[in-house]
Amino acid sequence: MSWADFQYEIYLNGLSGAVPRLPTDLTRLEELAAARLGPGPVGYVAGSAGDGSTADANRAALERHRIVPRMLRDVRERDLSVELFGRRLPAPVALAPVGVLSILHPGAEPAAARAAAARGIPYILSSASSTPMEQVAEAMGEGERWFQLYWPKDVEVARSFLRRARAAGYTALVVTLDTPLLSWRPRDLDQAYLPFLHGVGTANYFSDPAFRAGLAKPVEEDPNAAVMHFVSMFSDPGKTWPDLAFLRENWDGPIVLKGVLHPDDARAAADAGMDGVVVSNHGGRQVAGAIAAADALPAVADAVADRLTVLFDSGVRTGADIAKALALGASGVLVGRPYAYGLALDGEPGVDHVIRCLLAELDLTLALSGHATPGTLTRADLSEAGRHGA
């Protein structure tokens, strides 16, 4: 069985009149989710910083790179598996950390995590999840799980989060660097919508002993005070490169820095003993007018791919986008908004649908471009729009 066989499953089901519950063109999901959800939740997930120019640039950069298929190559047997951080994975894809998933569907993070585990791909749990990390771990059984840290000001809360994550079986730590402050997000501001102020997305904090130790009263007795305490320590704009030593001292697995766009920052990560970087601009949600992530990827890969694992996110909507990111130098790709929309529309089955569509299209894109594995993709397999490959 290959990932591409999903298309034949769909066609065979069609013999009995069944069609997919969700579109197989995943670029249509945002519009459908917008019609289903209220303006606050959909704006929170789909919205971007400022005028949205960075999110637009992410898509334009991926569109500008065009795949150049090669012919008469043996692609009968294909293997999408990759090794990341010493673990063999069935495909070079993980579900990116997306917080407060309960605003999209009551199944929230456990539903997304179960879908990822069922297909063998990593699920990255956000610090800002609606469900405590231990419950998400229990929901996905032996599934591969990584933990994303928004690095708080309170050192004891940070230490407690890392201890809990390791105890719950999270194998890699993904530290988001690009959110020391919330950006100017008009779609959220126009609705005055910030879920955290309602105690949504705070489950890991409210369940944490170190966090609770800093409260005058238990969360249950004074939830507003707990929310304000969370807001006061959620992130720390004073962190600098030497602070990474704390992470290494308190986490004995792989550490990946998310939000790296400059080659010098990638080099600094390598010099600090980190294991990987995610080339990402937070899906355009942090800096309006920033460089597109796909445009930043080649220079970062050139700088550190021999020292670090280079991952990618921001703007990915299709299997073809994943192939392009791999060709531009990524070893793996994180997918965020598409699975969030799938969750909003159909819960766990919706997330599974998104995963299978992405991987089927990736499998077919590789095969039809002359590749039996992701590892043979290079920049020579791409051409920028308006320029013909040699």
Side-chain angles (χ1 to χ4, degrees):
M1 296 289 291
S2 68
W3 293 108
D5 290 338
F6 183 41
Q7 68 171 333
Y8 299 116
E9 179 181 321
I10 292 172
Y11 287 134
L12 289 172
N13 287 339
L15 295 176
S16 60
V19 298
R21 287 167 57 89
L22 297 180
T24 55
D25 174 2
L26 301 182
T27 65
R28 295 178 54 200
L29 297 184
E30 179 177 342
E31 182 180 0
L32 294 175
R36 176 79 59 87
L37 300 169
V42 74
Y44 186 82
V45 176
S48 303
D51 61 358
S53 62
T54 302
D56 292 342
N58 285 335
R59 290 297 306 141
L62 286 165
E63 284 293 323
R64 190 174 65 252
H65 291 286
R66 312 302 295 177
I67 297 167
V68 183
R70 301 297 303 275
M71 300 296 113
L72 294 176
R73 294 180 172 183
D74 186 354
V75 292
R76 288 172 299 175
E77 301 293 331
R78 298 179 305 283
D79 181 4
L80 267 60
S81 68
V82 296
E83 185 173 302
L84 295 178
F85 309 116
R87 303 173 78 88
R88 198 73 186 172
L89 304 175
V93 174
L95 296 193
V98 179
V100 293
L101 289 181
S102 63
I103 67 174
L104 303 181
H105 190 276
E109 293 82 12
R114 283 193 297 268
R119 300 298 169 186
I121 67 171
Y123 177 72
I124 310 175
L125 179 70
S126 171
S127 286
S129 62
S130 310
T131 312
M133 63 183 85
E134 293 83 1
Q135 292 182 26
V136 177
E138 183 178 0
M140 64 186 309
E142 297 302 313
E144 181 74 12
R145 49 190 176 269
W146 304 349
F147 181 71
Q148 177 268 340
L149 179 70
Y150 283 120
W151 199 345
K153 290 179 183 176
D154 190 320
V155 67
E156 292 307 320
V157 172
R159 187 175 284 116
S160 181
F161 270 28
L162 300 184
R163 186 182 306 117
R164 289 171 62 194
R166 283 303 270 167
Y170 294 85
T171 58
L173 178 66
V174 179
V175 184
T176 297
L177 301 183
D178 59 16
T179 316
L181 300 166
L182 283 183
S183 68
W184 188 255
R185 299 176 182 173
R187 289 185 69 170
D188 295 340
L189 291 164
D190 290 350
Q191 299 293 324
Y193 185 81
L194 189 62
F196 308 114
L197 297 184
H198 301 278
V200 181
T202 58
N204 286 315
Y205 301 84
F206 287 5
S207 62
D208 191 79
F211 179 90
R212 294 173 71 94
L215 300 174
K217 296 180 180 179
V219 174
E220 297 76 16
E221 293 183 16
D222 194 346
N224 289 334
V227 166
M228 290 301 104
H229 184 54
F230 161 82
V231 170
S232 71
M233 52 80 68
F234 171 70
S235 58
D236 184 1
K239 290 284 194 298
T240 60
W241 291 100
D243 291 311
L244 292 174
F246 168 85
L247 300 176
R248 184 50 74 198
E249 291 165 4
N250 288 276
W251 184 267
D252 61 2
I255 301 176
V256 184
L257 302 184
K258 183 174 183 289
V260 172
L261 295 165
H262 196 289
D264 287 349
D265 286 348
R267 293 185 186 99
D271 293 342
M274 301 294 100
D275 301 279
V277 293
V278 184
V279 177
S280 167
N281 56 32
H282 215 105
R285 288 169 60 77
Q286 280 301 99
V287 179
I291 185 173
D295 287 337
L297 176 57
V300 171
D302 287 345
V304 298
D306 59 338
R307 303 170 65 191
L308 297 175
T309 297
V310 177
L311 306 177
F312 174 83
D313 77 20
S314 297
V316 175
R317 298 290 181 272
T318 68
D321 291 338
I322 295 169
K324 292 175 184 180
L326 297 172
L328 289 170
S331 295
V333 176
L334 314 185
V335 179
R337 285 183 173 108
Y339 89 79
Y341 299 140
L343 177 71
L345 292 165
D346 200 20
E348 183 179 339
V351 180
D352 183 64
H353 174 81
V354 168
I355 293 170
R356 297 189 74 188
C357 287
L358 284 169
L359 295 182
E361 187 182 10
L362 173 61
D363 189 2
L364 289 165
T365 299
L366 289 178
L368 294 169
S369 302
H371 300 275
T373 70
T376 59
L377 284 166
T378 71
R379 279 172 233 171
D381 296 300
L382 300 178
S383 173
E384 289 197 39
R387 178 179 65 83
H388 295 288

